[in-house]
Amino acid sequence: QKEVEQDPGPLSVPEGAIVSLNCTYSNSAFQYFMWYRQYSRKGPELLMYTYSSGNKEDGRFTAQVDKSSKYISLFIRDSQPSDSATYLCAIPASLSGGSYIPTFGRGTSLIVHP
Amino acid sequence: DTGVSQDPRHKITKRGQNVTFRCDPISEHNRLYWYRQTLGQGPEFLTYFQNEAQLEKSRLLSDRFSAERPKGSFSTLEIQRTEQGDSAMYLCASRAAGTGSYGYTFGSGTRLTVV
């Protein structure tokens, strides 16, 4: 079982829609969670990170963590065509030397059409 | 500073050839990471450096792969005797010490196509 699972989509929505992107994770010990956005032919860029259960809001984006069900979500309000990208959830997996690195889900492709 | 720079952006090579990629991290970042991303998958960790020391290697990094960061600045990733399964996007990321798993800055990657 992978440490973090994500539906690859694609998810196609009209402009202005509310988008919900989801991931499940396997290890209840993870303390914080990240969402990255990756445009075509670009590297991932950090969108949001959140430490605790509950919601964290940043503009049109809201990250939500439910530790009891090991479920993380990203909501995008008033979606725009410029939001079309792949959204990757990530957890901080530990390396053998004790460092932590982002370990990614496979990403969900989002298409927002005008 | 223009962020993490990777060169070349795209490399097409014949099976069995050797290829080398370069990554220039953000100058004040002492940690540098290599990831590989295949189509439809998320990036997978390959190896990382703290300054010039290579501290960790993934089991994905077969003996045909070697990475260096000789002066603690830029890094190179070499693949010897390339195979079609090596076709992927190779991503480099850097971060400063103390910024945690959310402090990574990724480059735009080198897309390798082995024909």
Side-chain angles (χ1 to χ4, degrees):
Chain A
Q1 181 186 10
K2 290 195 72 173
E3 290 181 292
V4 58
E5 300 277 0
Q6 192 172 8
D7 188 321
L11 180 62
S12 181
V13 302
E15 183 175 355
I18 296 174
V19 175
S20 173
L21 303 164
N22 307 294
C23 287
T24 57
Y25 62 94
S26 58
N27 189 339
S28 58
F30 296 137
Q31 295 298 307
Y32 61 94
F33 308 88
M34 297 158 281
W35 283 97
Y36 282 77
R37 178 175 60 196
Q38 185 174 24
Y39 290 113
S40 179
R41 291 184 290 277
K42 295 288 188 181
E45 57 177 340
L46 182 68
L47 195 57
M48 295 183 72
Y49 69 91
T50 180
Y51 273 90
S52 59
S53 289
N55 295 350
K56 179 178 180 179
E57 191 173 317
D58 184 1
R60 295 185 296 110
F61 298 87
T62 299
Q64 186 176 80
V65 178
D66 182 347
K67 287 189 174 181
S68 62
S69 56
K70 300 180 193 171
Y71 200 79
I72 55 178
S73 302
L74 179 70
F75 299 96
I76 308 174
R77 292 188 303 279
D78 187 25
S79 56
Q80 302 294 309
S82 59
D83 295 327
S84 299
T86 295
Y87 291 81
L88 300 149
C89 58
I91 49 88
S94 64
L95 298 175
S96 59
S99 296
Y100 291 85
I101 57 160
T103 295
F104 295 90
R106 63 186 302 182
T108 299
S109 175
L110 172 66
I111 302 165
V112 182
H113 51 86
Chain B
D1 197 336
T2 56
V4 178
S5 177
Q6 292 190 246
D7 184 69
R9 291 297 309 277
H10 194 182
K11 177 73 176 178
I12 301 173
T13 191
K14 292 183 178 180
R15 190 173 51 187
Q17 297 294 303
N18 299 344
V19 293
T20 300
F21 312 138
R22 176 178 170 126
C23 171
D24 287 90
I26 293 172
S27 57
E28 60 266 29
H29 288 184
N30 66 336
R31 299 192 182 194
L32 185 148
Y33 302 78
W34 285 99
Y35 279 75
R36 181 175 71 184
Q37 186 175 23
T38 53
L39 197 62
Q41 301 296 319
E44 295 175 294
F45 169 75
L46 292 178
T47 188
Y48 96 93
F49 293 83
Q50 180 172 307
N51 301 312
E52 65 275 10
Q54 187 174 18
L55 296 187
E56 192 94 19
K57 289 192 274 189
S58 160
R59 59 178 172 75
L60 294 175
L61 208 68
S62 76
D63 56 7
R64 295 185 297 107
F65 288 68
S66 62
E68 294 183 340
R69 194 182 183 198
K71 296 182 180 179
S73 56
F74 74 91
S75 175
T76 58
L77 178 68
E78 181 183 17
I79 309 175
Q80 296 182 326
R81 304 181 304 281
T82 51
E83 302 172 355
Q84 286 190 320
D86 296 332
S87 295
M89 173 82 86
Y90 290 84
L91 292 161
C92 177
S94 69
R95 74 175 179 95
T99 54
S101 286
Y102 45 84
Y104 288 66
T105 301
F106 281 85
S108 292
T110 293
R111 180 169 297 282
L112 174 66
T113 304
V114 181
V115 297

